[in-house]
Amino acid sequence: MTTRSRLTLLTATLAAAAMAMTGCVAGEGAAAPEPTEGAEWSSTELTLDFATYNPLSLIIKEQGWLEDQLGDDVTVTWVQSAGSNKANEALRAGAIDVGSTAGSAALLARSNGSPIQVIDIYTQPNWSAILVPTGSDIDEVSDLAGRTVAATKGTDPYFFLLQALQEAGLSLSDINLQNLQHADGKTALETGAVDAWSGLDPLLSTSVANGAAEIIYDNVDFNSYGFLNATEDFITNHPDLAQLVVNAYEKARAWALENPEETAAILAEVAGIDVAIAEATIERTVIDIDNVPGDAQRDVLEIIGPIFVESGDVAGQEQIDAALESLFNDEFATAADPDEVG
C-alpha cells in the first residue's frame, strides 16, 4: 500500500470512529487522537495472537501481510494463544491488542468486567466434542455422573460440557471436573488420568485419528462462533490499526476459501499434526460466513448466558445482559476491505 493509501485508511477509520460517537455507526468506537506530525499509523507497535483454533490467524501470520503493510513504521508481534481463556487473560492484561476466542468465552470475559469488544467474526466452527478413551464403558453424557472429566474453564469446550450436562439432566456438581488446558486434557484422557474430556480441535481429531479416543457427543449447536476481540483502549486510540487487522482477516477468509489444501497445510505445520487431521478440522469449520458481529451471535450467547449464571461463572443475569449490550462493535467488520491489504 502506498503512503497515500495508508493516509486514506487512517482518515477513513478516524471518520468512522467519530461517526460512532454520534450514533451514526453501530458499536462503541470513540474518536481517536490525532496522529503525530508525519506519522502514518497511530502506534509503532501492534500485538495480536495466533491460534490453531483460528485458521485465519495462521494464514495472516504465514503470509506476512501485516508486516508488509506496516513496513518499518510499526512492529508486529505475534503471541500464540493456547485457548480462549489464555487469549482473554492476555487481552485483560494488555499483553495483546487483538485476540481470538470463542464467542462464549468473550461473553464470559465481558460479563466479568474485561474491557473487550468483538470486531470481527472469523469462523463458525464445530470445534468441541466430548471424548472418552477407546473401549470405555461410557456411552453417553448421562454416564458421566460420578466420573472425572477434563475441560478448560473459560473456553468453548467447557461451555459445551455445561450445555451437554444440562441437556442430560446433570450439572457440574454431578461430575468431578478437572480444569486442564486443552493439550493437558488430551494427555490426561489418553493416559487414563480422566474418564472423559471435553476437547477442542485439532487436538480432539488427533486423539480420534490415533485410536486413543472416541467421541460420545458432538453437537454443532452447542459451539459458539469464533470472535476476534480487541481491547476498548486499542479500539479507541488505534482504529486505523484495528481496521487494518480486520481487513487482513477478510483477505485471509477469501484466501482460505480459495486455497483449502494450503490452509490445511499451514494448520498442520503450526499444530504439528498430520495433514489429513488438519483437513478434517478445516472441514468441520465454516469459514464462508458473514463477518459482521450481530444477531446470529447474540442468539447463541443468549442461550449460553444463563448457564454461566447457573454454574456460578457469572454472578447474575444482569451482568450477562449488560455484556450483550456492549460486546459487539460492528463498525470495523462493516467497513472491512480486503483489497486494502497487500
Side-chain angles (χ1 to χ4, degrees):
M1 178 185 283
T2 65
T3 297
R4 179 178 178 182
S5 296
R6 285 194 286 264
L7 291 173
T8 298
L9 175 60
L10 178 56
T11 301
T13 51
L14 288 173
M19 290 175 68
M21 291 187 68
T22 60
C24 295
V25 178
E28 293 190 352
E34 290 295 327
T36 58
E37 184 177 354
E40 295 177 347
W41 301 98
S42 61
S43 177
T44 58
E45 296 182 353
L46 171 63
T47 305
L48 64 167
D49 79 343
F50 68 101
T52 56
Y53 55 84
N54 177 0
L56 300 190
S57 70
L58 306 184
I59 293 170
I60 297 168
K61 182 176 184 292
E62 195 270 344
Q63 295 292 323
W65 292 327
L66 292 176
E67 290 83 354
D68 290 344
Q69 197 78 37
L70 296 168
D72 295 331
D73 297 331
V74 180
T75 299
V76 178
T77 302
W78 291 91
V79 177
Q80 184 166 12
S81 290
S84 294
N85 62 324
K86 295 301 182 182
N88 274 326
E89 288 173 10
L91 283 165
R92 188 155 195 163
I96 58 176
D97 302 310
V98 182
S100 45
T101 73
S104 52
L107 175 62
L108 177 66
R110 182 81 192 189
S111 298
N112 287 322
S114 182
I116 62 169
Q117 290 187 309
V118 53
I119 58 175
D120 200 44
I121 303 298
Y122 55 88
T123 61
Q124 183 184 18
N126 183 21
W127 52 17
S128 304
I130 297 177
L131 298 86
V132 298
T134 300
S136 170
D137 61 349
I138 300 173
D139 296 319
E140 55 189 35
V141 177
S142 60
D143 295 334
L144 295 177
R147 302 299 187 101
T148 301
V149 183
T152 309
K153 294 195 72 173
T155 70
D156 237 26
Y158 171 70
F159 307 128
F160 183 94
L161 175 63
L162 294 182
Q163 293 174 88
L165 290 172
Q166 184 182 65
E167 182 184 61
L170 302 176
S171 68
L172 278 177
S173 63
D174 294 310
I175 67 171
N176 176 19
L177 178 69
Q178 293 294 307
N179 181 23
L180 301 175
Q181 202 61 45
H182 299 305
D184 296 328
K186 175 179 179 293
T187 299
L189 181 77
E190 294 180 350
T191 59
V194 298
D195 300 307
W197 170 48
S198 191
L200 181 73
D201 257 337
L203 293 171
L204 73 85
S205 290
T206 303
S207 281
V208 172
N210 66 23
E214 56 189 5
I215 294 173
I216 64 164
Y217 190 72
D218 187 15
N219 186 342
V220 67
D221 293 334
F222 283 178
N223 292 271
S224 61
Y225 289 75
F227 281 19
L228 186 69
N229 309 309
T231 62
E232 289 181 337
D233 175 77
F234 181 72
I235 291 170
T236 299
N237 294 304
H238 310 294
D240 55 332
L241 292 174
Q243 187 66 67
L244 178 63
V245 171
V246 173
N247 289 348
Y249 261 83
E250 293 317 300
K251 181 170 183 175
R253 186 186 312 281
W255 193 94
L257 293 171
E258 293 175 1
N259 303 278
E261 293 181 359
E262 291 86 345
T263 299
I266 293 171
L267 173 59
E269 181 178 359
V270 176
I273 58 178
D274 291 340
V275 171
I277 296 173
E279 290 174 344
T281 299
I282 296 299
E283 288 175 2
R284 286 166 57 90
T285 303
V286 181
I287 296 174
D288 190 10
I289 59 171
D290 185 355
N291 70 302
V292 180
D295 291 341
Q297 293 74 40
R298 183 186 297 272
D299 290 345
V300 174
L301 296 184
E302 284 179 345
I303 296 172
I304 296 174
I307 298 174
F308 291 167
V309 178
E310 182 179 347
S311 66
D313 291 293
V314 177
Q317 184 62 39
E318 57 272 19
Q319 283 93 333
I320 298 290
D321 295 339
L324 283 172
E325 287 301 314
S326 57
L327 180 61
F328 300 105
N329 186 325
D330 67 5
E331 63 183 280
F332 301 101
T334 300
D337 184 356
D339 291 336
E340 287 290 340
V341 181

